[in-house]
Amino acid sequence: MTQRQLKLGALTMGCGGPGRHNLWLDPQLPADASVNVDWYIDIARQAEAALFDLMFIVDSQFITEGSPSHYLNRLEPLTLLSALAVSTRHIGLVGTLTTSYNSPYNVARRLASLDLISKGRAGWNVVTSGDAGTAGNYSRDEHYDYATRYGRAAEHVQVVQGLWNSYEEDAFVRNRATGQFLDPSKLHSLNHQGEHFSVVGPLNIQRSPQGQPVIFQAGDSEPGRDLGAATADVIFTHAASIEQGQAFYRDIKGRALQRGRDPEQILIMPGAEIYVGDTDAHAREIEQHYHQLDHSFELALKEFGRNFGWHDFSQYDLDAPFPQESLEAARSSFFTAAKRIADHAREKGFTLRQAVEFGRQLRPGAFVGSAVTVAEKMADWLQARAVDGFNIYIGHPGQFDRFTREVIPLLQERGVYRTAYEGSTLRESLGLSIPTCTPGRVQAR
Amino acid sequence: MTQRQLKLGALTMGCGGPGRHNLWLDPQLPADASVNVDWYIDIARQAEAALFDLMFIVDSQFITEGSPSHYLNRLEPLTLLSALAVSTRHIGLVGTLTTSYNSPYNVARRLASLDLISKGRAGWNVVTSGDAGTAGNYSRDEHYDYATRYGRAAEHVQVVQGLWNSYEEDAFVRNRATGQFLDPSKLHSLNHQGEHFSVVGPLNIQRSPQGQPVIFQAGDSEPGRDLGAATADVIFTHAASIEQGQAFYRDIKGRALQRGRDPEQILIMPGAEIYVGDTDAHAREIEQHYHQLDHSFELALKEFGRNFGWHDFSQYDLDAPFPQESLEAARSSFFTAAKRIADHAREKGFTLRQAVEFGRQLRPGAFVGSAVTVAEKMADWLQARAVDGFNIYIGHPGQFDRFTREVIPLLQERGVYRTAYEGSTLRESLGLSIPTCTPGRVQAR
């Protein structure tokens, strides 16, 4: 029996990873990387040469002084991905679009267009906007509350998928002999009337070679997990340990099973930071070096407020007990993450400074070691069913080089990573089936 | 003194021109051209080799049975243009985005991203959505009325331009020695509170080498002309004769002057169909051949209803007098165009069939003749100040070949067309100055 194969995504955030404010200080990275399409093309081609499944582009529509430097100035994800689509041939192209401030019709069109331009390699990372300040950029007085955000997201995805079924596979006849362009019986309106959206349709674009773009989702809260299990093809998460990964993996696959879905058709791909050195000790030195380069306590304190609705923590004494009252400000923001920090701080009796330090550690599993160690650990996570793959943070080009040159061949030797692309679409790479075309209605799973 | 230079755009509509329902029947065109990125890349490179100023991509967010075949299935303009940006080096990239169903923040971001990806070659064709059915795809019960559409459009453009001034030119210091990434004194919020939009800002993207994308606008009505004269860099229009072109040219440049603008900084570029033959007579045969191939009376009757709010004209006797009552249905749609047809039909005593035929002739100036004739006429229009240039409909590849191979060299010989690109940005090609950065406020012109 063939071994399960590790799936790999290259995750760029402008050019970083979580809590990395000053990546641009790395002289190996162009200082303008987050708006430099040539840099992105280089990275995409390097990832494709290493047979990665996908590029993953995150996003935000709101900045403050506390934003990491590469968030202050970056390319809109789908505009970027379309440029990458014609610069690559196999790698998947996953872009973040918020359901809070985009209409389903526009999202459906843009992703379907990317899917055709890339010949079946598009993916959509479905998110809601948790930053209250985003509302001010979109003519809204108030931020959507938590329940509304998730309700909108669930309905939004269904409408988009419904629109993607406007045309059946063989709707376009294009027979010059008979003069028939379209078989009109294979064009279907949606006529959706829902709580948040009403969309008649049809969409003005055909299906792609992979049927529909692949759906990615994050979100660790209960509604987040339910939404993911119901509608996602791939779950993006963070896992600090193999046990934590296994628990999340079982939980999501179980929820999918309860909804009548094949658990093999929903993949778990946490983010991962990777530091490769000549030896394990050397790798730890490299990690430490970059940690000191990238981070700043001052900016970390500002960004720490993000989970708490951008609460201003500079008003407190850093060495007094963590201010539990700040949790109130997180209600309509990233409450799950904020509550985890606040609860942990109470249990441990943390000061604010200690809580900020703890928050900085709430980051993806880091694989730190020699190439042999890193390959072994990654294979262990796969085989322990803690993951189906990883989305690797591409922050430091030198480290990405080492990963692709040294770790990938070891994964291939172990038989847990492909030696050639399986096909030409993202669904083929990920082993996902093509969704059935169920025209004219919102899909229920 | 140097002669004024003709500006040229390549206008693709999926693959057509107005009223051309069946372009795909041309065996020289890929039948799937409107969703075929490789075809678009070929056309863009061919246009760039011929030193065209720009590619121009139109759009719609709503289809009916009466839509031309290539409208039923086409790529979203900006997604397409980003793919063209990295496949070309000099040609401008102008995409249509409606102000009726896009938020200013998203429009500003997407165009600014395209502008950076193309290194200063983006343009925005600002439109309002006149098809009432579009509302049904965007969770609105009712179509915006005419006044609201134009009010939104005017404010929308101002907000987008205001957001494009979020960062001053030299805001990003990126000094690794001092650790300074951004000069925060050069980042400005917008804090716009208007009738239709409220947008705090700032935008999370820097200015491009051309400062801001170029603004294109169409619209022949009084509010359309005022909006164009106030905010556009380039006006897209139709002109059936040199005199009609001159009158429009004088009108728009006059309105711009009244607003304190330099009339040389607003360009008039009507659409144009071009048929080149070995002789003038041969060219007319070619035109007739394609006219018969592309058009269908049945589809034309359906599409005729578009200006009248998709009024169903199949209910009337084709050979009875034109039904003037149908004009009521055009009130919130394309009223200016509909009224012109209805008034003309009354004056001439047209039947419905005759009115539909007349409507089909309301199309761009057609330049039909040998290469010498076409070059001569185009130069005449330029020198008579009826135009600053043309947006040429790329419907039939064989004809585009002839135009670039035979007509372009004659225009160059006459000294009315460039022999090399003036620079690398769209503003440089068009001779437009870089807009001043006036941060933190909506621009008033």
Side-chain angles (χ1 to χ4, degrees), chain A residues 104 144-145 147-156 159 192-199, chain B residues 138-139:
Chain A
Y144 292 117
D145 65 25
T148 307
R149 252 159 53 211
Y150 270 91
R152 280 177 65 93
E155 188 180 331
H156 196 296
V159 171
H192 172 78
Q193 289 278 355
E195 188 183 341
H196 303 283
F197 304 105
S198 57
V199 181
Chain B
Y138 290 91
S139 304

Side-chain angles (χ1 to χ4, degrees), chain B residues 298-318:
Chain B
E298 187 197 353
L299 291 174
L301 183 65
K302 285 184 183 157
E303 200 195 14
F304 181 78
R306 186 178 180 216
N307 285 329
F308 297 79
W310 290 101
H311 189 65
D312 176 17
F313 282 94
S314 70
Q315 63 187 297
Y316 304 110
D317 181 352
L318 283 169

Side-chain angles (χ1 to χ4, degrees), chain B residues 192-377:
Chain B
H192 172 78
Q193 290 277 355
E195 187 182 342
H196 303 283
F197 305 104
S198 57
V199 180
V200 178
L203 194 66
N204 54 356
I205 189 159
Q206 70 177 55
R207 280 162 76 91
S208 88
Q210 69 171 352
Q212 293 187 356
V214 177
I215 303 289
F216 284 64
Q217 232 159 289
D220 199 25
S221 62
E222 278 295 312
R225 288 180 186 217
D226 277 338
L227 182 59
T231 62
D233 297 305
V234 182
I235 303 288
F236 174 65
T237 181
H238 284 157
S241 69
I242 201 164
E243 294 75 21
Q244 199 182 317
Q246 285 173 314
F248 184 79
Y249 191 98
R250 280 193 305 267
D251 180 70
I252 294 291
K253 302 246 173 176
R255 289 178 199 237
L257 201 58
Q258 282 170 4
R259 283 165 180 75
R261 295 185 63 192
D262 175 358
E264 299 297 313
Q265 291 287 311
I266 179 166
L267 306 177
I268 314 293
M269 293 179 69
E273 288 192 61
I274 292 180
Y275 297 96
V276 184
D278 300 335
T279 62
D280 290 356
H282 181 223
R284 284 191 295 272
E285 279 169 34
I286 291 172
E287 181 190 21
Q288 193 57 29
H289 166 75
Y290 283 129
H291 189 79
Q292 283 171 2
L293 188 72
D294 296 342
H295 290 70
S296 131
F297 187 83
E298 187 197 353
L299 291 174
L301 183 65
K302 285 184 183 157
E303 200 195 14
F304 181 78
R306 186 178 180 216
N307 285 329
F308 297 79
W310 290 101
H311 189 65
D312 176 17
F313 282 94
S314 70
Q315 63 187 297
Y316 304 110
D317 181 352
L318 283 169
D319 299 308
F322 176 79
Q324 289 289 337
E325 66 272 25
S326 61
L327 195 56
E328 261 320 295
R331 288 267 165 226
S332 69
S333 189
F334 299 97
F335 188 73
T336 306
K339 187 158 189 325
R340 187 183 302 162
I341 293 167
D343 288 353
H344 195 79
R346 186 174 42 227
E347 282 164 29
K348 300 282 182 182
F350 278 170
T351 62
L352 172 57
R353 188 192 304 278
Q354 286 169 322
V356 173
E357 289 294 345
F358 171 74
R360 287 165 70 175
Q361 287 159 27
L362 279 183
R363 51 175 199 173
F367 293 83
V368 185
S370 68
V372 172
T373 302
V374 169
E376 193 174 79
K377 282 194 204 168

Side-chain angles (χ1 to χ4, degrees), chain A residues 70-202:
Chain A
H70 46 283
Y71 281 32
L72 295 175
N73 185 14
R74 58 173 161 179
L75 299 171
E76 192 280 326
L78 258 68
T79 317
L80 168 60
L81 287 172
S82 185
L84 300 187
V86 292
S87 308
T88 55
R89 291 187 55 202
H90 290 97
I91 197 163
L93 304 160
V94 182
T96 302
L97 282 181
T98 176
T99 53
S100 304
Y101 298 107
N102 283 291
S103 64
Y105 199 86
N106 287 350
V107 168
R109 274 192 88 198
R110 294 175 64 197
L111 281 157
S113 296
L114 178 65
D115 212 21
L116 285 181
I117 286 171
S118 64
K119 302 178 170 68
R121 296 186 280 136
W124 174 24
N125 180 36
V126 179
V127 300
T128 69
S129 293
D131 289 319
T134 312
N137 288 336
Y138 291 91
S139 303
R140 279 186 59 86
D141 293 335
E142 287 193 13
H143 185 47
Y144 292 117
D145 65 25
Y146 194 82
T148 307
R149 252 159 53 211
Y150 270 91
R152 280 177 65 93
E155 188 180 331
H156 196 296
V157 175
Q158 289 181 331
V159 171
V160 167
Q161 290 180 320
L163 287 170
W164 284 337
N165 287 330
S166 294
Y167 286 113
E168 295 177 47
E169 284 83 350
D170 52 354
F172 288 94
V173 180
R174 299 188 182 108
N175 184 333
R176 287 203 176 106
T178 62
Q180 188 179 32
F181 186 73
L182 168 74
D183 177 349
S185 73
K186 296 184 174 171
L187 167 59
H188 306 280
S189 289
L190 186 65
N191 297 315
H192 172 78
Q193 289 278 355
E195 188 183 341
H196 303 283
F197 304 105
S198 57
V199 181
V200 177

